[in-house]
Amino acid sequence: MEKLGGGATDAIAVLPSAPVFIRNNDVEHDYRQDSDLYYLTGFDEPSSVLVLSLRDRKATLFLRPRDKEREIWDGPRAGVDGAKSDYGMDASFVIAELSTELARLMENTQRLYYRIGKDKGFDERVLTALDTLRGRARRGITWPTEMVDTGKILHEMRLFKTEDDLAQMRQACAITKEAHSLAMAAAKPGMHEFEIEALLVETFRRHGAERAAYGSIVGSGPNATILHYRSNSRKMQAGELLLIDAGCEYGYYASDVTRTFPVSKTFSREQRAIYELVLDAQLASIDATRVGATLEDGHAASVEVITKGLVKLGLLSGEPAKLIADEAYKPFYMHRTGHWLGMDVHDVGAYFVGGKPRKLEPGMVLTVEPGIYIGREYDKVAPEWRGIGVRIEDDILVTDGAPMNLTESIPKTVAEIERACAA
Ligand code: GLY
Ligand code: MN
Ligand code: MN
C-alpha cells in the first residue's frame, strides 16, 4: 500500500487469482494460487481478486460466496465474512459484483497497477471497467490514465527474502535434502526412474510439502544429458549415472536441487572426472555469489573452470581464453548457471537494471547449477565419454558476508555421494 503512491495522487492495484485449468470434461488440474496474490493475502481460493486502494487505504477481496451445495463437493469457502475475519480484509464482495465494483473502485483514480497480458480473460474485464468509466466522462468522472505493471513493486519485494520467507525456504530445503538422500540410498540397477520419482514425491508429501516445485527430473544414463527430461520411464543400468533435479514447495516457497550419482554406488573414471569438474565449477560460482557481483559473474566463473577442465581432459583443445571467447564449451554446457528462486522456481525479479546485469544484494536467493552434458551421439569425443550428464545445483542466499548455501548438507563431494549411495 505504501509503495502504490510513488508520484501518483491516487492509485489502485488489481490482482486476480490464478485461473482454473480444465484437464478434461469436468476434471480440473490441481489448483495453485497465483504467487503474487498469495504473497499479499495467504488466500488460496480460485475466482478471487484483490484490490488495494490507496485513497482510503483499503484492501478489498472479491471471492466466491459461501455455498452449501458446492461446499459438500469442494470443501469450505471463506466467503465474504471469512475474508474479513480470517484474512484481514477491510471490505469484501462476492465475485459476481466485480464488474460493477471494479469500475467504482477505479473511479477518479490516476494510476492502475495491473499486470496486463498474463490472464487475457481477466484483461478483458479490466479494460471493460476502464471503458465504462471513460463513457462517464461528461459526468465529471475521471479514470486511470496510467497503467503500471504490479510486478514493478511486488516482484522487487518478492526478490528480497524476509526472515519469514526464509523460514519456509529452509524447510523446503530440509525436506528436499531428505528426498535426495533417500534416493541415493534407494537407487540401484534394474529399478525404473519412476520408482525414484515416486520416492521423491512421497518424501515431499510425507513432510507436509504441498507439492513438487516443478516436475521432477530423474534421468539415468544418457537421459541425464537431456536438460528437461520428464518422462522418467527408463530402467536404470549398472554403471550409469542418475541425475535428479527435484525440489519441493513448502508454504508456497520452492527449493530447486540437482544431484548426480552413480547407480552402482561408485563413479567410473570418466564419470568421476566430469563430476569433479562440475563440482569445481559450482564451488567457484557459489564463491562468486557475493554482494556487488552479478549472475553474469557467477556464470563466467563456471564457464572458465569448465573450459579449462575440458581442455585438461582432452575433450576440447586450444587456448582456454580463445575457447571461452568462441563459446567452444557450449556443446557441453549450454544453459545458464542460475536463476532467482522464491515462491516460483524461476522466480520473479529483474535480472538487468538499466540494461546492465543486476548487482547482488543481501536477501536475494538464487540457484547455482552448472553442468556438463555429453550426448550419446556426440562423436567429437572418445566413446567412453559419451552419454555422461552431470549437473549440481544448490540454493544460495546472498548475505553481507560469505554466500549461505541453503542446501549445503545434501551429499555432494564424491566421498559424500558414494557414502550416501552405500547407505
Ligand atoms: N528445475 C529447473 C531448474 O533447475 O531451473
Ligand atoms: Mn533444478
Ligand atoms: Mn534451477
Side-chain angles (χ1 to χ4, degrees):
M1 190 76 84
E2 275 165 25
K3 290 175 196 236
L4 288 182
T9 52
D10 201 1
I12 76 162
V14 177
L15 295 116
S17 59
V20 170
F21 291 103
I22 299 296
R23 180 175 164 154
N24 41 44
N25 304 325
D26 59 346
V27 174
E28 297 163 356
H29 278 285
D30 288 348
Y31 187 74
R32 183 186 182 278
Q33 186 56 283
D34 175 79
S35 295
D36 283 339
L37 182 59
Y38 193 83
Y39 180 76
L40 291 175
T41 62
F43 188 66
D44 66 359
E45 291 184 28
S47 297
S48 53
V49 179
L50 175 71
V51 178
L52 298 177
S53 127
L54 183 63
R55 181 185 309 151
D56 45 13
R57 298 183 84 80
K58 266 193 179 160
T60 302
L61 190 64
F62 293 85
L63 73 174
R64 301 176 306 182
R66 298 290 312 271
D67 180 331
K68 276 206 178 89
E69 170 72 11
R70 283 318 314 166
E71 290 181 45
I72 288 172
W73 290 87
D74 299 327
R77 299 176 172 186
V80 282
D81 294 334
K84 286 181 268 193
S85 58
D86 299 347
Y87 293 91
M89 295 295 149
D90 301 302
S92 55
F93 295 93
V94 296
I95 189 74
E97 292 184 51
L98 182 74
S99 306
T100 347
E101 290 300 323
L102 191 57
R104 192 184 59 78
L105 284 159
M106 280 185 192
E107 228 175 72
N108 301 328
T109 294
Q110 178 189 344
R111 182 183 295 170
L112 167 65
Y113 285 91
Y114 176 65
R115 191 162 180 78
I116 198 161
K118 187 173 164 190
D119 177 344
K120 305 274 191 318
F122 198 79
D123 289 352
E124 187 67 39
R125 306 189 70 171
V126 171
L127 299 179
T128 301
L130 272 178
D131 203 42
T132 303
L133 289 180
R134 284 194 291 244
R136 294 181 193 155
R138 271 167 298 174
R139 290 189 234 158
I141 284 171
T142 63
W143 58 90
T145 50
E146 302 169 18
M147 193 186 287
V148 180
D149 190 330
T150 339
K152 199 172 171 196
I153 294 176
L154 215 44
H155 295 175
E156 280 300 297
M157 293 171 68
R158 283 175 52 191
L159 180 56
F160 293 90
K161 273 63 182 179
T162 64
E163 274 312 312
D164 284 343
D165 299 330
L166 288 170
Q168 310 293 317
M169 293 190 84
R170 286 197 172 92
Q171 183 60 14
C173 290
I175 297 169
T176 294
K177 170 195 168 164
E178 181 170 341
H180 277 268
S181 304
L182 289 174
M184 286 178 196
K188 52 177 186 285
M191 272 177 100
H192 284 85
E193 295 160 347
F194 52 71
E195 295 177 67
I196 298 298
E197 179 187 359
L199 174 64
L200 297 166
V201 175
E202 188 265 340
T203 309
F204 296 162
R205 291 295 288 147
R206 184 157 45 77
H207 289 286
E210 301 90 73
R211 54 185 81 83
Y214 51 92
S216 307
I217 297 170
V218 183
S220 62
N223 289 343
T225 67
I226 303 172
L227 300 180
H228 286 169
Y229 176 65
R230 282 290 297 113
S231 64
N232 302 345
S233 55
R234 184 173 172 276
K235 195 187 261 188
M236 302 181 249
Q237 310 289 325
E240 292 176 345
L241 291 179
L242 181 64
L243 182 153
I244 298 179
D245 184 346
C248 71
E249 181 179 309
Y250 185 87
Y252 272 77
Y253 285 83
S255 55
D256 181 9
V257 172
T258 308
R259 288 293 184 267
T260 311
F261 58 90
V263 169
S264 309
K265 306 197 185 305
T266 50
F267 288 90
S268 73
R269 197 180 66 86
E270 288 78 17
Q271 289 167 351
R272 184 180 173 130
I274 297 294
Y275 188 88
E276 294 200 309
L277 178 49
V278 175
L279 182 56
D280 284 348
Q282 203 229 13
L283 295 175
S285 293
I286 292 175
D287 193 55
T289 307
R290 291 172 188 269
V291 169
T294 68
L295 278 168
E296 298 302 305
D297 298 328
H299 183 63
S302 268
V303 162
E304 185 179 342
V305 172
I306 284 174
T307 305
K308 286 181 175 163
L310 290 172
V311 170
K312 243 190 192 156
L313 294 174
L315 296 172
L316 275 181
S317 55
E319 186 54 46
K322 169 132 177 42
L323 293 170
I324 290 170
D326 295 344
E327 299 186 333
Y329 55 86
K330 274 209 169 155
F332 300 92
Y333 180 35
M334 58 296 276
H335 62 76
R336 306 291 300 175
T337 303
H339 52 82
W340 305 136
L341 181 71
M343 297 184 78
D344 301 332
V345 63
H346 293 168
D347 206 25
V348 294
Y351 285 92
F352 285 77
V353 174
K356 292 207 184 93
R358 174 172 206 153
K359 288 196 161 76
L360 297 177
E361 296 175 58
M364 294 172 165
V365 177
L366 57 139
T367 66
V368 174
E369 50 177 308
I372 294 179
Y373 314 90
I374 309 175
R376 204 160 40 112
E377 289 165 5
Y378 191 68
D379 59 7
K380 293 189 181 130
V381 299
E384 62 269 27
W385 296 100
R386 295 179 203 163
I388 295 180
V390 173
R391 175 165 65 256
I392 308 174
E393 175 173 30
D394 282 307
D395 303 340
I396 310 297
L397 168 66
V398 182
T399 77
D400 277 322
M404 185 177 289
N405 185 345
L406 303 175
T407 46
E408 183 159 45
S409 60
I410 306 177
K412 188 162 78 165
T413 64
V414 166
E416 285 165 357
I417 295 246
E418 291 188 346
R419 211 176 308 131
C421 289

